[in-house]
Amino acid sequence: MRPIVLILIVIVVIASVAIGVYLYLQRYFQKPIEISIPIPLELSASLTRASRSIRVESPEFRPNETIPTAFTCDGSDISPPLIIEGVPSQTVSIAIIVYDPDAPGGIFYHWLLYSIKPSSRIEIPASIPKLAETKIGFQGFNDFGRIGYGGPCPPKGDKPHRYIFMVLALDIDIRTPSLKPSEFLKEVNGHIIAYGYTIGIYRRA
């Protein structure tokens, strides 16, 4: 083999190894992404490593607009419909958490719905029954101390509160119903592949 050919082979091998090392370091030591909403401390590390690739919307309200009264404590207090798209193919299950970061005592959880079957497009209907086990998935306790959805109910006279409807793509399936928020957050920590969210606003005069 000619020396020039041998040199070229060595260069190609070294370049391939260098590229592989670079991609490895970029994957595991990349700069954390910035998240523009208040998030639970328990999820901060997991979300900075996850992809914000999931699209979340509700047919009943646009992002950063007022949540209709029917979905609050001043109305029927039913859960709103949601449409979820962009779920990664490797997802094992989907979870939904709804929380108010503007509550007087800190983050207040309004809904935990999990063990949802993943799909490229998921339609969550309105008015999910307030039961631990439903056709859609399992539900946990909200911070009102009840199972299922508890709608926005900020103190009267407060400034408008934000309600984060966050969807999590998980690499596990949590099969335990009736989890408390702290238990749920512990279960999903380190298992979030991707996420997405929409925000609704509500104020009581």
Side-chain angles (χ1 to χ4, degrees):
M1 183 179 292
R2 295 181 180 181
I4 186 66
V5 175
L6 183 60
I7 291 172
L8 289 174
I9 292 174
V10 171
I11 291 174
V12 170
V13 171
I14 292 174
S16 299
V17 171
I19 292 172
V21 171
Y22 171 77
L23 293 175
Y24 177 89
L25 293 175
Q26 187 181 50
R27 168 67 177 83
Y28 288 97
F29 298 98
Q30 60 182 327
K31 181 180 178 181
I33 60 173
E34 294 184 1
I35 300 174
S36 59
I37 58 168
I39 60 171
L41 180 62
E42 298 89 340
L43 294 182
S44 59
S46 293
L47 290 182
T48 54
R49 293 184 177 89
S51 167
R52 185 184 164 188
S53 60
I54 297 177
R55 297 180 296 279
V56 186
E57 64 179 32
S58 175
E60 295 292 339
F61 60 91
R62 293 184 178 183
N64 298 306
E65 291 192 355
T66 299
I67 297 172
T69 304
F71 308 111
T72 75
C73 69
D74 294 318
S76 302
D77 202 26
I78 59 174
S79 59
L82 297 172
I83 298 173
I84 302 166
E85 296 179 312
V87 175
S89 59
Q90 68 269 35
T91 302
V92 175
S93 71
I94 292 292
I96 299 171
I97 60 173
V98 178
Y99 61 92
D100 172 6
D102 302 313
I107 288 178
F108 190 98
Y109 293 94
H110 287 261
W111 197 17
L112 300 178
L113 176 62
Y114 49 95
S115 193
I116 302 168
K117 184 178 179 180
S119 177
S120 59
R121 178 183 171 90
I122 302 170
E123 296 187 12
I124 305 295
S127 193
I128 300 294
K130 299 184 181 186
L131 303 171
E133 299 185 34
T134 74
K135 293 181 179 180
I136 303 298
F138 295 143
Q139 294 189 107
F141 283 94
N142 55 48
D143 277 341
F144 294 111
R146 300 189 291 267
I147 290 288
Y149 178 83
C153 197
K156 291 185 177 181
D158 258 20
K159 66 178 183 179
H161 284 212
R162 294 165 294 174
Y163 295 87
I164 316 297
F165 289 74
M166 181 174 286
V167 174
L168 306 174
L170 306 175
D171 62 8
I172 59 172
D173 186 13
I174 302 172
R175 301 292 298 170
T176 306
S178 306
L179 290 176
K180 296 178 181 178
S182 59
E183 295 171 331
F184 172 81
L185 294 173
K186 184 177 180 180
E187 289 283 345
V188 302
N189 188 28
H191 294 285
I192 301 172
I193 300 171
Y195 72 100
Y197 59 85
T198 190
I199 302 174
I201 306 296
Y202 193 67
R203 179 178 185 272
R204 303 174 77 200

